[in-house]
Amino acid sequence: MDAPVDRIRQENAKALADPESYWTEAAADLVWSRREGPVFEKLDLPPYGRWFAGWESNLAANALDRNLAQGRGAKVAYFWEGENGDRRTLTYADLARDVHRWASLLRDSGVSAGDRVTIYLPMVPELPAAMLACARVGAIHSVVFAGFSEAALAGRIRDSESRVVVTADGGYRRGKVVSLKPVVDAALRECPSVTRTIVVRRTGLPVAMTEPRDVWFDPNSAPTEVPAVPRAGLDPTFILYTSGTTGRPKGVTHGTGGYMVWVYRTMQRVFGIRPEDVFWCAADIGWVTGHSYIVYGPLLVGATSVLYEGAPDHPAPDRWWEIVERYGVSILYTSPTAIRAQMRHGERWAQSHALGSLRLIGSVGEAINPEAWRWYQANIGGGRCAVLDTWWQTETGAAMVSGQAGGAFVPPKPGSATLPLPGVDIRVVHPDGSPAKAGERGHVIIAHPWPGEFLGLWNDADRFRSVYFERFPGLYSAGDYALVDTEGYFWFLGRADEVLKVAGHRLGTIELENALIGHPSVAESAVVGVPDEVKGEVPFAVVVLRPGASPGPELEAELRALVRSAIGGIAEPKSVRFVRQLPKTRSGKIMRRVVAAIARGGDVGDVSTLEDDATVEEIRTAVANFQTEL
Ligand code: ATP
Ligand code: MG
């Protein structure tokens, strides 16, 4: 067995055998104002563990003051690029000044420790600054993706009972100016807790200001020094709603000490971050990937990051590659959906740019199918960089299973997220809780608390218990389906509640989708189970084709045959339908439950996080055609 694999295993065993010394050591690089009591305590009730409860620190002080004290004031924190071509470079000293400006504005708005602040901003440098200012004064931020509607925003403001809302006049998306302040104004009609809105000027659009509630953020105001408020390990830092892929979004709440140590540690282990790296996590800060790998992670390790406001394909599909070239990006971290979109555009867009600065290319959010893995490695990674798949969830705070779990490459297997990070006791179990053997499919559980574990769901203790801790008592249930191979590699196969049960066999949706994407004409697919009198359930597939491919009965027959030969006769889809787009969340995840609900004739459920309503109609038509053919 390879050396990095052995080393990761040994370190993992050490971290689990003695969490106290392992995590005390990991926390030593960071600044704490108090260290009292144990790092880890075992609890009898969910979440079965607490981290750094008696320790105090401040995330913003660690992300900024600590870097300034270590001589990184002049180092670039962010290269920011607006979609419209605007550019700004912010050093650590610049960012720290902005954070003091924001913190004093929050303080003047009556915000104190424990208050909630909703942030509804485009991807501008003021977004991380406002988040860090909340952390500095001990307020809890709730960042809401700027593409969400008035109703989704109002629901999240009400749920968190925010005192302040931070927004902008607007932002740029796909060449259009998107106005934001009117959305906030409309949302606030139903949000009595809000007494102040702070508005960033980004587009110059005219904005109606309601006095005295609304104030402008003044980037040139004299910064007043605002002290960092010490926060206990279990004090919440933020609330963040999950993607809503499988149902109504959950208000995941993260703490301070454990979250900080976990995110910091994963920057070192997963990305092996170096001082000279230019790190680009091309996600939106509105998702946990952005919280942990655009804001807290890179700043905690004093790294230089890229922050890009707009769409990947605006004005042309090579916008990202132009950015990689311009800033000499060395680590790119993105999602399978973005990679598949680039595959659809074709490799010529990447080929027209020098991407030699890249040394590591990562993926998160969904399983990356082997086809996309290979394309990404060959065309973006130039064949040099292996693809670093990382499995984690909003609830886990940061990466948990990763192709570089211990600072060195685990020999990759395309389609596998590879090995757990030190301190992650993740396993696959059968429905009765018994351990699955190598190669057996089952439910993903985490058997030991880890420092980055969320504190709970905001205002919803019952849902917290029932979603995560009732299925397998005493264990955290991740809700995913997976298998571990004989070498201990994890293969994530889809969501546990979307597993297909065909003629007594259980199959993850990803297994069938990967088979379909193996066909040169297929760009993306979603497979769901529909009831069948004989087999219990049969697969129903919708696929999006690559440009130039033509849909029709011939291709459908080829695709069904492909699945039959790749997996077996039981897996053959009853029907394959062709659509232009799959229903996806705004974070780019395939919402199979929408396809399943339509195919089964049920209600589509909560679609507040759906990216494009038109996709629902398209699936309805596809299903209706399928039914008339039956
Ligand atoms: P909701 O919980 O509201 O349904 P969500 O689970 O999609 O939404 P996130 O927390 O953003 O919200 O996503 C976590 C999920 O994404 C994981 O549970 C897993 O299903 C999937 N996922 C993330 N990364 C990977 C990966 N590398 N491989 C396979 N699946 C992944
Ligand atoms: Mg989830």
Side-chain angles (χ1 to χ4, degrees):
M1 181 119 315
D2 290 88
V5 175
D6 284 341
R7 202 167 44 71
I8 291 166
R9 288 226 174 87
Q10 281 160 13
E11 198 182 327
N12 198 348
K14 202 173 96 187
L16 289 169
D18 184 3
E20 192 63 31
S21 21
Y22 188 86
W23 294 108
T24 304
E25 200 186 308
D29 288 357
L30 298 161
V31 177
W32 305 81
S33 48
R34 187 180 128 160
R35 303 170 192 236
E36 254 178 57
V39 159
F40 173 64
E41 289 156 275
K42 214 158 169 47
L43 301 182
D44 294 333
L45 292 171
Y48 301 107
R50 353 199 273 158
W51 297 88
F52 300 95
W55 292 40
E56 280 180 5
S57 66
N58 184 285
L59 257 162
N62 272 284
L64 296 169
D65 310 30
R66 184 172 149 273
N67 284 309
L68 300 186
Q70 292 178 357
R72 281 187 281 273
K75 183 171 179 176
V76 174
Y78 290 115
F79 288 117
W80 175 73
E81 175 144 332
E83 190 185 75
N84 64 345
D86 287 351
R87 283 176 209 155
R88 275 168 70 187
T89 299
L90 282 95
T91 63
Y92 273 86
D94 295 333
L95 184 62
R97 264 191 298 277
D98 275 348
V99 170
H100 283 286
R101 285 191 179 98
W102 276 101
S104 68
L105 196 47
L106 290 175
R107 238 179 20 182
D108 294 348
S109 305
V111 172
S112 54
D115 285 342
R116 275 79 62 204
V117 174
T118 293
I119 306 179
Y120 184 67
L121 280 176
M123 290 273 286
V124 289
E126 286 80 5
L127 173 50
M131 292 164 74
L132 290 159
C134 288
R136 190 159 193 96
V137 302
I140 303 165
H141 57 70
S142 165
V143 176
V144 178
F145 174 60
F148 275 131
S149 66
E150 163 200 327
L153 173 64
R156 286 162 175 73
I157 297 173
R158 271 200 307 274
D159 191 41
S160 62
E161 295 174 282
S162 288
R163 179 186 280 267
V164 171
V165 174
V166 175
T167 189
D169 51 0
Y172 294 87
R173 190 77 193 173
R174 294 223 150 75
K176 291 203 191 77
V177 183
V178 184
S179 150
L180 293 176
K181 177 67 166 49
V183 183
V184 172
D185 288 339
L188 289 189
R189 282 189 214 119
E190 303 154 53
C191 301
S193 60
V194 177
T195 52
R196 164 65 38 97
T197 64
I198 306 174
V199 188
V200 173
R201 194 178 291 285
R202 162 74 187 113
T203 59
L205 281 173
V207 164
M209 298 289 274
T210 308
E211 305 246 342
R213 187 192 70 190
D214 301 349
V215 296
W216 288 101
F217 170 70
D218 176 3
N220 301 313
S221 63
T224 327
E225 184 79 23
V226 177
V229 174
R231 300 287 280 158
L234 298 176
D235 283 341
T237 293
F238 62 84
I239 305 168
L240 180 62
Y241 295 84
T242 55
S243 298
T245 316
T246 58
R248 181 165 61 88
K250 302 175 274 276
V252 167
T253 307
H254 275 284
T256 299
Y259 174 76
M260 175 167 78
V261 172
W262 190 245
V263 171
Y264 177 76
R265 181 42 79 98
T266 62
M267 279 307 294
Q268 299 171 320
R269 292 308 165 101
V270 175
F271 298 105
I273 192 87
R274 301 172 190 161
E276 67 277 15
D277 271 324
V278 177
F279 185 82
W280 186 18
C281 168
D284 194 283
I285 294 178
W287 318 122
V288 73
T289 311
H291 277 55
S292 298
Y293 295 114
I294 299 178
V295 184
Y296 291 111
L299 296 176
L300 283 170
V301 296
T304 295
S305 287
V306 169
L307 181 62
Y308 170 56
E309 178 187 35
D313 51 1
H314 188 83
D318 63 343
R319 183 64 186 267
W320 273 16
W321 316 128
E322 191 191 302
I323 293 175
V324 168
E325 184 173 7
R326 177 171 314 121
Y327 301 106
V329 171
S330 57
I331 304 179
L332 174 69
Y333 191 33
T334 180
S335 63
T337 195
I339 297 162
R340 289 190 298 253
Q342 284 294 331
M343 284 173 78
R344 231 178 308 152
H345 291 308
E347 46 270 22
R348 69 188 173 94
W349 296 99
Q351 280 160 0
S352 59
H353 293 275
L355 306 181
S357 57
L358 288 170
R359 68 174 184 86
L360 208 54
I361 52 175
S363 169
V364 63
E366 292 182 291
I368 174 162
N369 49 288
E371 228 20 66
W373 197 105
R374 292 201 184 87
W375 185 92
Y376 191 31
Q377 185 194 34
N379 296 291
I380 307 305
R384 302 178 314 279
C385 327
V387 175
L388 185 70
D389 186 12
T390 60
W391 176 91
W392 56 292
Q393 309 179 296
T394 308
E395 295 86 345
T396 70
M400 299 289 275
V401 178
S402 140
Q404 184 164 286
F409 259 123
V410 172
K413 299 185 188 182
S416 164
T418 81
L419 303 182
L421 266 84
V424 177
D425 189 357
I426 181 167
R427 303 178 191 184
V428 174
V429 298
H430 293 302
D432 65 0
S434 62
K437 291 198 196 69
E440 285 179 349
R441 298 168 176 82
H443 297 256
V444 176
I445 57 105
I446 303 174
H448 190 284
W450 66 100
E453 185 167 15
F454 64 139
L455 302 178
L457 296 182
W458 188 257
N459 260 340
D460 208 343
D462 290 343
R463 199 172 177 209
F464 175 56
R465 256 192 321 274
S466 68
V467 171
Y468 305 104
F469 297 100
E470 268 169 14
R471 182 75 181 79
F472 302 103
L475 306 169
Y476 170 82
S477 166
D480 278 0
Y481 202 62
L483 65 81
V484 181
D485 69 17
T486 49
E487 289 177 310
Y489 280 54
F490 277 75
W491 298 80
F492 291 92
L493 305 175
R495 309 299 180 126
D497 53 8
E498 290 170 349
V499 163
L500 292 111
K501 298 165 218 70
V502 192
H505 297 265
R506 285 169 185 270
L507 294 166
T509 51
I510 301 293
E511 300 179 76
L512 282 84
E513 290 164 12
N514 283 354
L516 290 165
I517 301 176
H519 192 284
S521 297
V522 177
E524 281 191 305
S525 74
V527 177
V528 300
V530 291
D532 179 90
E533 275 168 25
V534 183
K535 296 181 178 165
E537 217 169 42
V538 286
F540 170 76
V542 282
V543 300
V544 176
L545 297 181
R546 293 215 207 177
S550 36
E554 238 166 74
L555 182 55
E556 177 176 2
E558 257 178 60
L559 292 174
R560 291 173 58 179
L562 181 63
V563 177
R564 199 165 55 234
S565 68
I567 305 177
I570 52 150
E572 181 179 332
K574 184 151 189 170
S575 167
V576 180
R577 299 283 97 184
F578 304 98
V579 292
R580 281 175 304 108
Q581 267 191 78
L582 297 177
K584 286 188 183 170
T585 63
R586 287 170 205 265
S587 58
K589 290 160 185 265
I590 298 171
M591 286 168 101
R592 294 175 191 82
R593 66 178 166 96
V594 168
V595 180
I598 296 169
R600 293 174 196 154
D603 176 34
V604 293
D606 186 321
V607 286
S608 60
T609 67
L610 184 71
E611 160 95 10
D612 182 352
D613 292 338
T615 52
V616 173
E617 280 323 302
E618 213 191 345
I619 301 288
R620 277 196 211 285
T621 311
V623 169
N625 292 343
F626 158 53
Q627 280 161 347
T628 37
E629 283 165 26
L630 280 183

